[in-house]
Amino acid sequence: MGDTLEFNEIYQESKGSWNDGRLRFSKQNLVYKSSKTGKVDNIPAAELSQATWRRVCLGHGIKLATSSGHVYKYDGFRDTDYERISEFFKANYKVELTEKDMCVKGWNWGTAKFSGPLLSFDVNDSSVFEIPLASVSQCATGKNEVTLEFHQNDDAEVSLMEVRFYVPPGPADEGADPVEAFAANVLSKADVIQATGDAVCVFKELQCLTPRGRYDILIYPAFLHLHGKTFDYKIPYTTVLRLFLLPHKDQRQMFFVISLDPPIKQGQTRYHFLILLFSKEEELRLTLNMSEEEVEKRYEGKLSKNMSGSLYEMVSRVMKALVNRKITVPGNFQGALSWAQCITCSYKAQSGLLYPLERGFIYVHKPPVHLRFEEISCVNFARGTTTTRSFDFEVETKQGNQFTFSSIEREEYGKLFDFVNAKKLNIKNRGFKEGMKSKNNEYSDSDEDQHDAYLERMKCVCSCFSLFPPLSRPMSSYMLWLNSSRERIKSENPGISITEISKKAGEMWKQIGKEDKEGWDRKAEEAKKNYEKAMKEYRENGGGSSTPAKKYETTHTHTRGGWWEER
């Protein structure tokens, strides 16, 4: 027997819907990765305390319990998988994989048993059904009755709204009320959001783009409270999938994006992303509503009682510590027109910014879109429909969905193409891709091997603009010096405004020695020569020609590392 066992198309139930994924057993741990969300369950082998094999609606399933009280259930196994898994568990986990049948009598009376995070309803010691108490949103009591309401899942075609349990009265000599005892057991593990005690900290009047408005954010240990003039939202940290910190194209603002599953709701509208917008110049002094000993014990150095800095840094630092997730930031990508780490484009007739990340793309902000590389089937560079000065970037997912980011300036083509090529994404031109043609295609394109003028022009223009992105002409010696000195001026003069930076820079430039200025003059002259050379090459390669060019076509295979690596 090998050191690992792997299974595809294994399902995990989530509030009434089935999410498929891959499950791997190794000597060190058990890892399950959802294909839909990319979320990873990592169960150390040392914590595994119980394993049960049972027949379920999707074939056979495994129920795993850990010493810390967590329960995991995975379905979709075949009957023939039992022997392999049982032997692997005995050899590596020292745990017996026991078989247990579910009760199918259909009786509606039995015994309610509370075991960790589960409420099990049993008949004759066989389980009829189990309720994950974390899915309970509300618990109400009445005379001899307890009503449970559940969190809803938009992906589920049929949802269970509530369940009522009749609890017979206990003997007269017992002082405890059995109804209240039942409700107390439910509430001890239920995901019922209640604001008990004071908030850890409060951020006042933050600008929120999605949902739109100004909101106060109250940070509690288990959830955040989004309080606005019209709507209130309580968001458990368990629903937070990812955190993003993205610089705006103007370099003066920052986006902080919180990805949610399930989303927050406002009427019929679902918000899968919470997007906050900050000014880089806005500062904050923050004091947590806890003692220094409590802060150190709970957050282990990630936070301190008194903190100060930029507002976006304070919010992201607090959220990272409480949610316990890494913050995703842009990688090494830089656009051609402004050296920004994003590209201006449109999606569904709304203008926004597309950020190429190390493991995916994210578009902000209306509507927000996050696409992981592992769920992308192919990408396509298409001609703009209204003008030759722009192009469209199309992304198709393995589920068959298509996202079109349009009106991208053609100067960005080279940078974006190099990025997706480096990430080994499958690139195609719809209708011309060689890999889509059959070997017996009698109507193949006779111009396949001709020189691609469109590609050459695009590369030439992009190289020219990558040299001088802010302008279409080379910078002066003063501007070259200013760009290299701007950060130093800001660090030496905290709180200085943009107009004051220009004034201060002018004074410093006058005081620079003759030799230093001559050095910057040489750099400016060299930049001018490079610019003239690039423009000459551009014109020699057909720059400005209105003749339509053949579409560029290429194919790359998308290969990535281990599927079990966490996003």
Side-chain angles (χ1 to χ4, degrees):
M1 181 178 293
D3 294 336
T4 61
L5 285 179
E6 294 189 11
F7 298 91
N8 297 321
E9 296 183 4
I10 300 300
Y11 295 86
Q12 186 180 50
E13 189 270 339
S14 175
K15 301 175 186 174
S17 68
W18 295 97
N19 300 327
D20 69 311
R22 300 185 67 182
L23 180 65
R24 184 189 68 173
F25 299 109
S26 68
K27 292 184 177 181
Q28 295 78 24
N29 56 8
L30 293 80
V31 180
Y32 176 81
K33 184 171 183 179
S34 170
S35 299
K36 176 188 174 184
T37 64
K39 187 176 180 181
V40 175
D41 292 340
N42 192 328
I43 310 172
E47 294 185 8
L48 190 63
S49 60
Q50 185 180 3
T52 305
W53 177 269
R54 53 191 186 176
R55 187 172 182 82
V56 291
C57 61
L58 295 178
H60 291 79
I62 291 180
K63 176 184 172 183
L64 304 173
T66 65
S67 56
S68 58
H70 292 86
V71 175
Y72 303 88
K73 294 186 289 184
Y74 305 108
D75 298 350
F77 297 97
R78 295 186 297 270
D79 189 19
T80 55
D81 295 331
Y82 173 76
E83 294 296 334
R84 287 197 302 155
I85 298 176
S86 179
E87 292 178 7
F88 190 90
F89 275 38
K90 288 180 182 179
N92 297 283
Y93 303 151
K94 310 303 179 186
V95 172
E96 185 79 18
L97 182 62
T98 59
E99 292 188 78
K100 188 173 183 181
D101 294 330
M102 303 290 288
C103 179
V104 293
K105 289 185 176 181
W107 294 3
N108 65 343
W109 66 91
T111 305
K113 295 181 179 180
F114 293 91
S115 177
L118 293 179
L119 164 60
S120 175
F121 186 77
D122 296 352
V123 173
N124 295 338
D125 294 328
S126 294
S127 179
V128 179
F129 61 84
E130 293 176 336
I131 296 177
L133 294 178
S135 298
V136 176
S137 63
Q138 194 59 258
C139 178
T141 60
K143 184 179 180 180
N144 297 334
E145 192 175 71
V146 179
T147 302
L148 306 185
E149 297 181 11
F150 302 99
H151 293 290
Q152 298 303 301
N153 186 352
D154 294 336
D155 296 332
E157 296 182 2
V158 179
S159 295
L160 179 64
M161 303 296 294
E162 68 175 36
V163 171
R164 296 185 181 183
F165 292 93
Y166 174 78
V167 183
D173 56 346
E174 290 187 9
D177 185 352
V179 172
E180 295 299 329
F182 188 101
N185 284 326
V186 172
L187 290 172
S188 65
K189 299 293 184 180
D191 186 17
V192 179
I193 301 177
Q194 297 177 341
T196 57
D198 296 329
V200 175
C201 61
V202 179
F203 298 101
K204 291 284 189 179
E205 291 289 319
L206 297 186
Q207 182 181 356
C208 192
L209 301 181
T210 305
R212 187 175 179 182
R214 290 274 180 176
Y215 289 87
D216 294 340
I217 295 185
L218 290 76
I219 304 295
Y220 289 90
F223 67 96
L224 66 88
H225 182 190
L226 206 62
H227 175 69
K229 293 182 179 180
T230 308
F231 299 99
D232 274 14
Y233 305 95
K234 293 178 180 177
I235 305 174
Y237 297 137
T238 54
T239 66
V240 176
L241 281 181
R242 295 174 182 85
L243 302 173
F244 302 89
L245 188 60
L246 310 170
H248 195 282
K249 191 172 184 177
D250 61 12
Q251 302 299 323
R252 301 178 186 177
Q253 301 178 93
M254 296 290 292
F255 294 109
F256 185 65
V257 183
I258 303 174
S259 174
L260 303 173
D261 185 30
I264 57 177
K265 305 175 183 178
Q266 182 174 304
Q268 297 299 317
T269 307
R270 305 291 186 266
Y271 295 103
H272 290 270
F273 294 88
L274 176 64
I275 302 180
L276 304 173
L277 182 62
F278 300 94
S279 170
K280 281 187 174 182
E281 298 179 356
E282 194 170 357
E283 301 286 331
L284 176 69
R285 292 184 178 273
L286 183 65
T287 301
L288 301 185
N289 190 23
M290 303 171 67
S291 65
E292 293 185 0
E293 292 77 12
E294 288 177 321
V295 174
E296 180 63 30
K297 181 179 179 181
R298 179 172 294 183
Y299 302 114
E300 300 176 349
K302 297 177 182 178
L303 299 177
S304 55
K305 180 176 177 59
N306 298 295
M307 299 180 290
S308 62
S310 299
L311 177 58
Y312 75 88
E313 292 177 346
M314 294 296 99
V315 174
S316 58
R317 183 177 176 184
V318 170
M319 287 298 299
K320 179 181 178 181
L322 271 72
V323 177
N324 196 25
R325 292 192 180 277
K326 295 180 179 179
I327 296 179
T328 302
V329 298
N332 298 323
F333 176 84
Q334 284 189 334
L337 292 178
S338 63
W339 282 343
Q341 294 175 292
C342 57
I343 294 174
T344 302
C345 62
S346 296
Y347 177 66
K348 291 187 176 180
Q350 295 288 338
S351 180
L353 299 174
L354 179 66
Y355 290 83
L357 307 174
E358 287 301 311
R359 297 187 180 182
F361 297 98
I362 186 169
Y363 172 84
V364 292
H365 75 90
K366 193 175 182 179
V369 177
H370 178 228
L371 298 168
R372 294 174 288 121
F373 289 153
E374 60 192 41
E375 63 180 331
I376 293 176
S377 171
C378 62
V379 299
N380 179 47
F381 293 88
R383 291 285 185 86
T385 56
T386 59
T387 175
T388 58
R389 296 291 302 176
S390 65
F391 66 94
D392 297 346
F393 181 59
E394 301 171 350
V395 180
E396 294 183 17
T397 66
K398 296 176 181 177
Q399 288 74 29
N401 300 320
Q402 179 171 311
F403 300 84
T404 301
F405 304 99
S406 59
S407 302
I408 304 176
E409 293 293 330
R410 70 177 185 180
E411 289 79 16
E412 303 284 6
Y413 174 83
K415 293 281 189 177
L416 186 57
F417 177 83
D418 290 342
F419 176 82
V420 297
N421 188 30
K423 295 301 180 181
K424 295 183 171 61
L425 296 180
N426 185 23
I427 307 173
K428 75 168 186 177
N429 261 2
R430 189 171 289 113
F432 290 91
K433 182 178 174 183
E434 290 181 3
M436 299 295 290
K437 298 178 181 179
S438 64
K439 295 182 179 179
N440 298 323
N441 187 359
E442 298 178 356
Y443 302 96
S444 60
D445 190 351
S446 61
D447 296 329
E448 285 180 348
D449 299 325
Q450 291 183 1
H451 175 70
D452 193 337
Y454 175 69
L455 175 63
E456 297 301 326
R457 288 207 309 274
M458 292 297 286
K459 284 185 175 181
C460 185
V461 172
C462 292
S463 64
C464 171
F465 277 86
S466 65
L467 289 172
F468 316 107
L471 306 170
S472 60
R473 62 178 183 272
M475 295 183 183
S476 65
S477 56
Y478 169 73
M479 289 303 297
L480 289 172
W481 170 84
L482 178 59
N483 279 350
S484 66
S485 305
R486 189 185 303 274
E487 293 301 321
R488 177 169 61 87
I489 295 174
K490 290 173 66 176
S491 63
E492 293 177 353
N493 302 272
I496 190 171
S497 66
I498 296 176
T499 55
E500 290 173 344
I501 289 176
S502 301
K503 183 179 179 181
K504 184 69 175 178
E507 295 174 356
M508 295 173 63
W509 177 253
K510 292 179 181 179
Q511 298 174 2
I512 291 180
K514 181 179 179 181
E515 293 183 359
D516 290 338
K517 282 189 176 181
E518 289 177 351
W520 287 106
D521 289 340
R522 288 192 295 270
K523 291 181 180 180
E525 186 64 27
E526 182 180 355
K528 182 180 178 181
K529 292 180 180 178
N530 290 337
Y531 170 79
E532 292 174 348
K533 179 181 178 181
M535 291 304 297
K536 181 180 178 181
E537 292 177 355
Y538 170 62
R539 288 190 290 268
E540 290 176 352
N541 283 276
S545 173
S546 59
T547 304
K550 174 175 173 274
K551 289 186 177 180
Y552 175 59
E553 55 187 76
T554 185
T555 303
H556 293 277
T557 303
H558 173 32
T559 58
R560 291 193 52 77
W563 56 267
W564 52 87
E565 294 177 356
E566 187 170 1
R567 166 72 170 79

